[in-house]
Amino acid sequence: MLQLLLTDSVLGIILAVITSLLWNIAPIIQKEALSEMEEIDAKNPMKHTRALFAKPRWVLGFLMALVGGLTYLFATQLAGIVVIQPLMNIGLIALVYLSSKRLDEKIDLQAVIGIILLIFTPVFIALGGVSEPVMFIDYTGILLYSLVMIVGVGALAGGTRRIAILWAPITAFVQALAAQFTQWFTLVLFGETDILQGFISALLPLILLGVFTAIAAVYTVSIGLQRNPASRFNAITGTISMFAVILGGVIIFGQVISEILFYGVGLTFGLIGVVLLSKYQD
């Protein structure tokens, strides 16, 4: 049994790293297409959806993100959302490199320090000794969490015209909701002895994760990438999403942090990294 658990954890971490690479390389490819398009907004979604899917490079990035979604789903099932989510920033290494080489985004010293802190954040978070997720029996936690995230999106949306980087926390909150619904889906799906019955029972979280994943993947990510440097946008989005997802894992799925010191160091690194990158301009 111990060997099986170790194997599951290792596979989950490997899949998480693959997911992180896919989710951090995809924006570079998509931004190359977005730079050739007129400004995207949420007022005419069908028009912009057609325009996005008419761009082969954007579609390639979108498909990479979808594959990353599948690897994320299995990683979550194998190792748990609070272990997997902090690893999502590992792909920032690839993103920063490609941003510099392919998009000519200049990375100054302040940004480099911010990226380094964000890369080390998952190490300390992982050392936080977080317990495995447990399926909830009361819907209060997930309802309150969803309400807070949605209210947060609404509150920030009004300032996006003046402050373009606000699309990063908006995207992060939407992704955090999708992550919670993914965890819910996997726990229900694999919690049944009959996989077909598990799938039927998991239809609600499947629909919800599909809706919020689509909102993030098609709209908020595209708008955010079009108006911000890819390295800055993805780093801030990933870090805010990480903390939001971990908070949800604790509140909704009863995960416990046993090593507060390590977790606190990771939290501090992440916050400082976000501050440094939020001041970075291309």
Side-chain angles (χ1 to χ4, degrees), residues 59-121:
V59 173
L60 175 59
F62 180 75
L63 291 175
M64 290 178 66
L66 285 182
V67 173
L70 291 175
T71 56
Y72 179 84
L73 187 150
F74 287 111
T76 299
Q77 168 59 23
L78 289 167
I81 197 169
V82 178
V83 174
I84 295 306
Q85 196 65 31
L87 300 174
M88 292 300 100
N89 279 339
I90 290 177
L92 287 173
I93 301 171
L95 182 139
V96 171
Y97 176 78
L98 291 174
S99 294
S100 175
K101 295 297 182 181
R102 298 189 61 157
L103 300 178
D104 294 324
E105 293 183 0
K106 296 179 181 179
I107 310 298
D108 59 20
L109 178 60
Q110 179 174 278
V112 169
I113 295 172
I115 292 293
I116 291 172
L117 288 174
L118 291 177
I119 289 170
F120 275 101
T121 294

Side-chain angles (χ1 to χ4, degrees), residues 241-261:
S241 177
M242 178 182 70
F243 292 128
V245 169
I246 291 172
L247 178 64
V250 172
I251 294 174
I252 300 168
F253 299 104
Q255 296 184 271
V256 178
I257 302 167
S258 60
E259 300 293 339
I260 298 296
L261 178 60

Side-chain angles (χ1 to χ4, degrees), residues 19-198:
T19 302
S20 180
L21 289 171
L22 288 169
W23 282 357
N24 280 280
I25 293 173
I28 302 298
I29 297 172
Q30 288 182 306
K31 181 154 186 174
E32 291 175 343
L34 290 166
S35 63
E36 302 170 355
M37 297 176 61
E38 64 180 52
E39 186 173 281
I40 300 171
D41 59 46
K43 294 181 180 179
N44 195 339
M46 293 307 298
K47 173 186 174 182
H48 291 301
T49 299
R50 288 193 297 269
L52 288 169
F53 280 95
K55 292 288 185 179
R57 279 178 294 177
W58 186 90
V59 173
L60 175 59
F62 180 75
L63 291 175
M64 290 178 66
L66 285 182
V67 173
L70 291 175
T71 56
Y72 179 84
L73 187 150
F74 287 111
T76 299
Q77 168 59 23
L78 289 167
I81 197 169
V82 178
V83 174
I84 295 306
Q85 196 65 31
L87 300 174
M88 292 300 100
N89 279 339
I90 290 177
L92 287 173
I93 301 171
L95 182 139
V96 171
Y97 176 78
L98 291 174
S99 294
S100 175
K101 295 297 182 181
R102 298 189 61 157
L103 300 178
D104 294 324
E105 293 183 0
K106 296 179 181 179
I107 310 298
D108 59 20
L109 178 60
Q110 179 174 278
V112 169
I113 295 172
I115 292 293
I116 291 172
L117 288 174
L118 291 177
I119 289 170
F120 275 101
T121 294
V123 177
F124 288 95
I125 293 291
L127 291 172
V130 182
S131 64
E132 291 298 311
V134 178
M135 182 58 198
F136 56 82
I137 56 175
D138 184 350
Y139 286 85
T140 303
I142 197 163
L143 286 173
L144 288 175
Y145 180 89
S146 300
L147 179 62
V148 170
M149 293 294 109
I150 292 171
V151 169
V153 169
L156 293 170
T160 53
R161 288 229 173 249
R162 292 182 295 105
I163 308 173
I165 197 58
L166 287 180
W167 283 107
I170 287 173
T171 301
F173 292 158
V174 175
Q175 289 178 344
L177 281 170
Q180 302 305 327
F181 297 137
T182 299
Q183 181 73 87
W184 180 7
F185 172 72
T186 58
L187 287 174
V188 174
L189 177 65
F190 297 106
E192 298 279 353
T193 53
D194 183 346
I195 194 70
L196 179 59
Q197 181 59 46

